[in-house]
Amino acid sequence: MSLKLRKLIVPAAMAFAFASNAHAADDAVQMGAVLSLTGANATVGEDVRRAVALAVEKVNAQGGVMGKKFDVIVEDSGGNATTALNAARKLATVDKVPVVIGEYSSGITLPMAQYLVKEGVTHINIASTSVKVRDLGATSFNLIGLENLGNKFSAADAWALGYRNVALIAPNNAYGQGVAHGFREEFEKLGGKVATELLYTAGQSTYRRELQQASRSNPDAYIYTAYGQESAVLNREAFELGLRQKPWYAILLSMSLSDTPANIANGQLGMEVGSVQGANGKAYIDAFQAKYGQAPKTSYTGYAYDAVMLTAAAINKAKSTQPAAVQAALKDVGKNFAGVTGPISFDADRQRIDPPYAKLKYDGKVVPR
Amino acid sequence: MFEFIVATLTVAGIYGIMALGLNLQAGYAGLLNFGHIAFAGLGAYATGITIQAGGSPLTGMAIGVVLAVALGAGIARLGRQLGADYWGIATLAVAEILRTVATNEGWLTGGANGISPIPMLFDALPRPYDTLAFLALVLGVLGAFTWLTKRLADGRFGRALRVMREEPKLAACFGYNLRSLKSRAVMTSAAVTAIAGSLYAHYMSFTGPDYLLSSETFALWTILMIGGIGNVWGVLVGTAVVQGAYTLVPFAKDYLHFSSDSAGALRLGVIGLILLACLMWRSEGLVPEKLRKMA
């Protein structure tokens, strides 16, 4: 037993030394972010991390927070709930940050945010669209449109485009299951029919079987959503099988087409959580482009940027980093706050009112329609 | 900071219990189980589903143990006609099947969203005593299983398993029923691991299909290979080293001012380096198994 104890105490003591040193080193106002820097969604995580870094630069260029330097401690979620929860624990109990933003996948955000809410730490959701986000509790704020609104939007859009009998293709995970079931519900409410519903297993080398199964129901249109790499395969095979004679409509178009060649992607319609809006949005995209040499790859970066800016504004207003004070200030600041994703206002449940959505099409690149 | 250490120790303790379970099969009996996490998953899901249906935590844990032992018996039967390496692949498949079922049978398992919230066991206690009580429970279970598996290993059962591992024909000549030995090893290991899975579900207050990813099994194998396969103390040391590395990297990042984009990769890299170093210089692990040499 003594050997085990020693082995446990030594790292703990080292951790303590590290932590106290880090605190002594810089006297900055800090908040936290848990992002998927490794794992299946590392591309999104890195994209969002860049937005966070950009926001920190902006805040510091404007004089920081409460007259001090502002900083965001970014932790890796590793794309799994355990690592994310540990990261949140570190941020809440060691770094004692008042606000934590993240994660990407709903399956990770939910347990992590439940922990943060229990600790009284503020959580800001920037990317997860599960409807369960609404019920997280008193210290959780949400900036992005949840899937009930997204499904309503895409179902109404598909109906308006004249589709009546559709095939639905989505990945078999929390996101895909939510979209498939939600879209069907909203579309059937309007009087439409979902002829086939296909939930595919991610990471396959071919989806011909699924596509052929979908085509047998002879739909007027294919409604689909898929992560970049997988939809590259899906789109190519649909093209080869001649399924593209019917219209293709992508839920989250830019995510679905991120890795598909332009000649195959051309002509697809779709929708997206609104990425950026107005002059603020344009300035943000320009700054991102200038710093990293490329535009953001996903729509989530704008929400992360806004979350950091909102937090900085709230801490400035509260003149305190006490979570309760910051939460009260967030509610005040969150009244028509000029974000890069458009004006931000929270309702009584701390959910964003009228989160933006966009109708898009692919014509050489993703453009509004 | 204090709470963070408590949390780290709790998670390490739970992984330690799972690794002790794997060690029973892989270490003593030499069974290459690549689907070990299935037992923990059953424990976690049994707890989640029972709690959701209004049952008590103890019932959930008991159901998990029963299911895991049944699965263990099934897997051991599966091994009857398969060579050790083929059996390993079959176990991997079993765990993947369970994960697919957990993802798709939404009415039972909550689908890809998983089951939450599952109450922590000591929510009634004031802070920080709730987390401390949970840590005490985990360490208690870890201690009990350490003692138990040590006793098993040093007793007749453990010796029989080792003979079977090293010289199966000799073991058969000694009159051991190899199939029964394997089954008992897998079933005991399943019970131990299911309890860990159940505790994990309570601690995270969440159960999801991600718990059943094969990478989790390989994380346990990493613990065994670093610490010393077949040695109880080795398992505990391996747990401490791997969990320590996982926990320390984020602090090292803050301290050494690494940029956060490399910190995630660093964490994986450090574990890989430790594993490689162990394989090269301490291929038996940090605390190797001591075998009595026959002259």
Side-chain angles (χ1 to χ4, degrees), chain A residues 15-16 18 21 37-38 46 49 74-76 82 85 89-90 93-94 107 114 118-119 172-174 177, chain B residues 1 3-4 7 103-104 112-113 116 120 127 200 203-204 206 236 248 250-251 253-255 260-261 264 267:
Chain A
F16 190 76
F18 274 138
N21 249 319
L37 299 173
T38 56
E46 171 60 15
R49 189 194 66 78
V74 179
E75 296 295 344
D76 179 25
T82 322
L85 204 68
R89 272 208 176 88
K90 168 183 177 283
T93 62
V94 182
Q114 274 162 5
K118 204 165 99 184
E119 296 294 310
N172 195 3
N173 59 20
Q177 287 179 358
Chain B
M1 187 70 220
E3 286 173 54
F4 184 73
T103 315
N104 287 290
N113 272 319
S116 67
M120 265 185 84
R127 301 187 56 184
Y200 194 62
Y203 190 63
M204 304 289 281
F206 171 76
L236 296 181
L248 279 187
F251 290 100
K253 172 204 73 184
D254 293 349
Y255 185 68
S260 48
D261 55 341
R267 190 200 299 253

Side-chain angles (χ1 to χ4, degrees), chain A:
Chain A
M1 206 64 189
S2 69
L3 181 59
K4 185 189 134 261
L5 269 180
R6 201 158 64 220
K7 285 286 174 183
L8 288 172
I9 287 167
V10 170
M14 280 168 73
F16 190 76
F18 274 138
S20 40
N21 249 319
H23 274 287
D26 45 51
D27 183 33
V29 176
Q30 296 175 315
M31 66 177 277
V34 179
L35 307 174
S36 55
L37 299 173
T38 56
N41 294 312
T43 314
V44 181
E46 171 60 15
D47 208 24
V48 170
R49 189 194 66 78
R50 290 176 169 188
V52 167
L54 197 64
V56 170
E57 262 179 31
K58 172 94 173 172
V59 170
N60 283 328
Q62 289 170 348
V65 171
M66 300 194 314
K68 291 182 192 161
K69 195 168 156 275
F70 181 65
D71 195 18
V72 179
I73 306 174
V74 179
E75 296 295 344
D76 179 25
S77 73
N80 73 62
T82 322
T83 315
L85 204 68
N86 277 335
R89 272 208 176 88
K90 168 183 177 283
L91 291 171
T93 62
V94 182
D95 300 316
K96 300 202 188 303
V97 296
V99 178
V100 175
I101 65 173
E103 213 261 349
Y104 175 63
S105 148
S106 297
I108 299 173
T109 305
L110 292 174
M112 184 186 93
Q114 274 162 5
Y115 164 75
L116 289 170
V117 168
K118 204 165 99 184
E119 296 294 310
V121 175
T122 317
H123 167 246
I124 303 181
N125 175 46
I126 53 167
S128 294
T129 56
S130 165
V131 285
K132 287 185 178 174
V133 166
R134 174 173 276 277
D135 306 323
L136 277 170
T139 67
S140 179
F141 292 71
N142 173 38
L143 284 182
I144 202 164
L146 300 184
E147 65 193 16
N148 54 343
L149 298 175
N151 290 330
K152 207 173 211 154
F153 183 88
S154 50
D157 192 22
W159 180 261
L161 287 165
Y163 311 150
R164 295 295 177 264
N165 184 31
V166 300
L168 196 55
I169 304 171
N172 195 3
N173 59 20
Y175 163 69
Q177 287 179 358
V179 166
H181 300 156
F183 183 89
R184 174 194 283 272
E185 202 177 297
E186 295 292 339
F187 198 57
E188 284 175 348
K189 249 188 239 165
L190 295 168
K193 186 167 164 261
V194 176
T196 328
E197 180 183 306
L198 272 173
L199 294 174
Y200 69 82
T201 304
Q204 299 183 79
S205 55
T206 173
Y207 296 100
R208 276 174 192 269
R209 185 190 67 73
E210 284 85 350
L211 287 168
Q212 281 167 336
Q213 194 181 334
S215 74
R216 273 202 289 281
S217 62
N218 201 20
D220 331 323
Y222 294 88
I223 313 285
Y224 81 105
T225 185
Y227 299 113
Q229 297 287 343
E230 287 149 21
S231 72
V233 180
L234 264 172
N235 278 317
R236 194 191 67 235
E237 290 181 341
F239 190 74
E240 288 165 1
L241 290 167
L243 304 186
R244 288 293 303 283
Q245 283 149 9
K246 299 279 173 62
W248 277 64
Y249 182 96
I251 295 172
L252 304 193
L253 184 75
S254 67
M255 172 183 88
S256 301
L257 289 178
S258 63
D259 295 278
T260 304
N263 63 328
I264 293 181
N266 259 338
Q268 284 199 11
L269 306 177
M271 56 77 72
E272 179 84 57
V273 290
S275 61
V276 294
Q277 282 188 358
N280 273 343
K282 192 171 176 316
Y284 161 70
I285 295 286
D286 290 345
F288 198 101
Q289 182 97 38
K291 185 164 161 68
Y292 301 111
Q294 54 179 211
K297 292 194 189 95
T298 65
S299 300
Y300 307 105
T301 65
Y303 295 91
Y305 186 87
D306 280 350
V308 175
M309 299 304 279
L310 259 177
T311 306
I315 296 176
N316 258 334
K317 188 175 177 75
K319 298 193 176 56
S320 152
T321 52
Q322 288 304 312
V326 174
Q327 283 147 22
L330 262 178
K331 287 175 191 160
D332 272 351
V333 174
K335 287 183 181 137
N336 221 8
F337 180 86
V340 299
T341 58
I344 296 170
S345 303
F346 292 116
D347 67 12
D349 287 334
R350 302 157 314 279
Q351 307 293 308
R352 181 158 181 187
I353 298 168
D354 286 332
Y357 287 99
K359 294 180 182 177
L360 305 167
K361 68 175 175 188
Y362 196 91
D363 187 11
K365 58 181 181 168
V366 177
V367 291
R369 78 181 134 91

